[in-house]
Amino acid sequence: MMRSGFSGLLARHWAEAIRQLRLHAEANDNLRGIRSLREAKQYFSSYTTHPVTGPALRKALEAHEARHPEANPYRFEDKGSCPGHRRCVRD
């Protein structure tokens, strides 16, 4: 998961990820079954690593990031370059 960039995406848009998780749990009537922090962490782990819901969450977070580019602190870094390299952005 670290090499895919998904962890960074989750970290940058944590509130949106939690909102998506809550929507998923409500839609599947699982919200009442989450009674502790441990159960919430297990549900989140299963949700993010599942072969269907994980990619759906990633797609939703990428769409959120596209709608809110100002929220990405790394938006000026060249992803194809060495870490930390910036590219020139012209308005």
Side-chain angles (χ1 to χ4, degrees):
M1 198 150 88
M2 290 296 288
R3 289 186 183 175
S4 68
F6 190 40
S7 296
L9 191 62
L10 279 171
R12 286 191 305 274
H13 304 290
W14 183 251
E16 179 63 18
I18 297 302
R19 190 181 79 78
Q20 291 290 329
L21 174 73
R22 185 175 180 90
L23 290 173
H24 179 268
E26 287 175 351
N28 292 294
D29 199 28
N30 292 332
L31 210 51
R32 287 178 282 167
I34 303 172
R35 300 185 183 272
S36 68
L37 180 60
R38 182 175 174 260
E39 290 174 350
K41 287 179 178 182
Q42 287 176 335
Y43 191 90
F44 186 76
S45 177
S46 297
Y47 176 64
T48 57
T49 58
H50 189 273
V52 174
T53 58
L57 175 61
R58 182 182 186 131
K59 186 176 180 179
L61 293 178
E62 287 171 346
H64 177 76
E65 186 169 78
R67 287 189 309 273
H68 303 284
E70 70 284 354
N72 181 3
Y74 306 109
R75 65 187 176 273
F76 300 117
E77 291 188 8
D78 184 3
K79 291 183 180 180
S81 184
C82 294
H85 288 200
R86 309 266 190 297
R87 61 181 163 84
C88 182
V89 177
R90 293 194 172 40
D91 293 328

